[in-house]
Amino acid sequence: QSALTQPASVSGSPGQSITISCTGTSSDIGGYDSVSWYQHHPGKAPKLFIYEVSNRPSGVSTRFSGSKSVNTASLTISGLRAEDESEYYCSSYTRGGTVFGGGTKLTVL
Amino acid sequence: QVQLVQSGAEVRKPGASVKVSCKASGYTFTSYDINWVRQASGQGLEWMGWMNPNSGKTDYAQKFQGRVTNSRNVSINTAYMELSSLTSEDTAVYYCARSVSTDLDYWGQGTLVTVSS
């Protein structure tokens, strides 16, 4: 199970929109609608922000949205806020279990 | 409210084993799978495996096959992850997480396992 590919870092100013990509293969992202996104603040437990490609759990802001095209999933955060600064991880189902991306550090300038 | 409370930090010598517990509350323990995910310092999240607490069925990432064992005690709503033949590369924070399908919706607070001679 090779890790999914995410950019190491992205940045944006308050109020802007950013997109984090997550690239896999037809054996994971491309083969299943089971992509999730997690926000992870250092020292805390990760939190589920998007499930099944584009669904938000109760309590997650509508500023967060997910999508998928072929083998690449994306997380878009609109109206950036300072509190969005964190590490974001994608994951996908694959035969043999679950695979995570390497994580993307979001900096709000 | 759903809670997963993990056991405290552990220190082990290379070659030893460690067993981390994850006590569930606020939901029916046997209705959701429990996954184990770890994060080494400066590294990303790494999925290790899952267990169905109802049936006891398990599945593990290929990397950990033969070295990790997931188990549970249904009477006390607790899941366990045991990792053997530890090396310094196993030094990490280990998380348990409840899953709905493959989505990890609730996580434990994490357990730091340090492997050092």
Side-chain angles (χ1 to χ4, degrees), chain B:
Chain B
Q1 71 284 18
V2 174
Q3 277 194 308
L4 297 173
V5 179
Q6 298 182 223
S7 48
E10 303 272 11
V11 179
R12 292 286 186 273
K13 293 189 183 304
S17 297
V18 69
K19 191 171 186 177
V20 179
S21 68
C22 172
K23 183 171 177 60
S25 62
Y27 73 98
T28 302
F29 178 60
T30 51
S31 295
Y32 298 83
D33 295 339
I34 292 288
N35 293 252
W36 290 89
V37 176
R38 76 178 187 181
Q39 183 178 36
S41 179
Q43 304 296 311
L45 300 175
E46 182 174 34
W47 181 80
M48 300 179 67
W50 68 266
M51 179 190 63
N52 180 306
N54 185 46
S55 66
K57 179 180 168 61
T58 58
D59 197 13
Y60 306 115
Q62 191 170 11
K63 174 177 179 177
F64 299 101
Q65 295 265 3
R67 212 162 62 90
V68 68
T69 303
N70 290 350
S71 60
R72 87 289 194 209
N73 184 333
V74 175
S75 67
I76 56 171
N77 292 346
T78 300
Y80 304 92
M81 185 282 299
E82 184 170 20
L83 188 62
S84 62
S85 303
L86 293 169
T87 72
S88 58
E89 296 191 350
D90 294 315
T91 294
V93 176
Y94 289 77
Y95 295 99
C96 63
R98 188 185 85 162
S99 64
V100 179
S101 183
T102 58
D103 309 307
L104 308 181
D105 63 348
Y106 286 92
W107 295 63
Q109 82 277 19
T111 295
L112 174 62
V113 174
T114 303
V115 183
S116 174
S117 54

